[in-house]
Amino acid sequence: MKKFFVKVAVCATLFCGAFGTMSCSEKEDVTPNNDGRSKYRAIYEVRLHREDVDTLAKEVAMFHDTWLRRYLNEFRERPVEDPHGYIRTEFFDMWTEDIQNTESYGRDLYGGWIFDTAGYMMICEAIGENGEQDIMNIRYNQDPYMFVDIEFVRNETAQLVEMIEPLIAESRSFEDFQRNFEAEANRLKGECSNINEYLCISFAAAVCANSFEIWTEEFFEGTIRAKGVRELWGKVKKCAKEVAQAVKPYVEADMNGAVVGAVDGAIGGAVAGSMAGGVGAGPGAAAGAVAGAAGGAASGSVGYALNH
């Protein structure tokens, strides 16, 4: 990871400031795809309004922001000698305790039930240890097609990362970039035919924006804290390609970790929810998706960074 600092020293600029999470729709989409690949998909449908999904996506990005920044701060002070051990124990234990004890919209929506049954969230460990970038290659606990068409989701999320460089280059200001990114993310979300797909893309978009901010900030820390993004935007535009290429693998690891965690968490939550009186598969899938996505996103680029 330190090689990057030398490579992009000439572009020692970046920006801070939060990305706006994608705008939401009040439309409720409860009809899952019936493509014949999984007759069980309807069982694992999250049954949420899109507005709820976008609110939950903000929380996934919030957890991601908190834990990735915490890791980076610790890493500066104390290099991690055992990456797998760090993911398995220290990182995961702290994160699990935090998500169980943090007041959030997700906890209010589901009464905190699924967040207190964290067994299936060990997907965070698998993602973190591998740090793989392709959704199709990451180890799943279950068949992802039980929840979504994972190939469709991979193709849509890949576009989120690829749009970063051209949007930097064509945007006249940071605010312009934010608007353009949001518009493109909303376009992708509009292509989703069911709520499960929408959830995956919404979570991915929120985490992609946050991850891009954090990792660019990390790699360009020499100047980012001295000036705001509005003052630096001209310099960012001049090295748009270098910025986008350097942060891409970390952003992909975070974003794909969120998606894999959402899929595995949703399936595990649905199973657990169907076995718990008064909970049901639908709410269990939704709550599991939130918890799993938060864990997967937080551990995605941590695993990648520790292994590269």
Side-chain angles (χ1 to χ4, degrees), residues 194-256:
N194 65 73
I195 194 62
N196 287 5
E197 290 176 355
Y198 187 91
L199 179 143
C200 287
I201 305 305
S202 181
F203 284 13
V207 170
C208 178
N210 182 249
S211 182
F212 176 59
E213 176 187 354
I214 294 174
W215 282 105
T216 331
E217 182 177 328
E218 174 70 10
F219 292 144
F220 292 89
E221 63 179 333
T223 61
I224 185 171
R225 292 176 178 83
K227 295 182 179 180
V229 61
R230 293 162 185 80
E231 298 173 79
L232 293 173
W233 189 252
K235 296 180 180 179
V236 172
K237 284 173 63 66
K238 289 181 181 178
C239 58
K241 182 176 181 180
E242 289 85 351
V243 172
Q245 289 183 346
V247 302
K248 181 179 179 179
Y250 299 90
V251 173
E252 285 182 327
D254 284 344
M255 183 184 68
N256 290 344

Side-chain angles (χ1 to χ4, degrees), residues 80 99 118 120 142 159 166 202 205-206 220 243 263 279 293-294 297:
V80 179
I99 197 173
Y120 63 85
Q142 304 283 345
Q159 295 181 55
S202 181
F220 292 89
V243 172
V263 173
V279 177

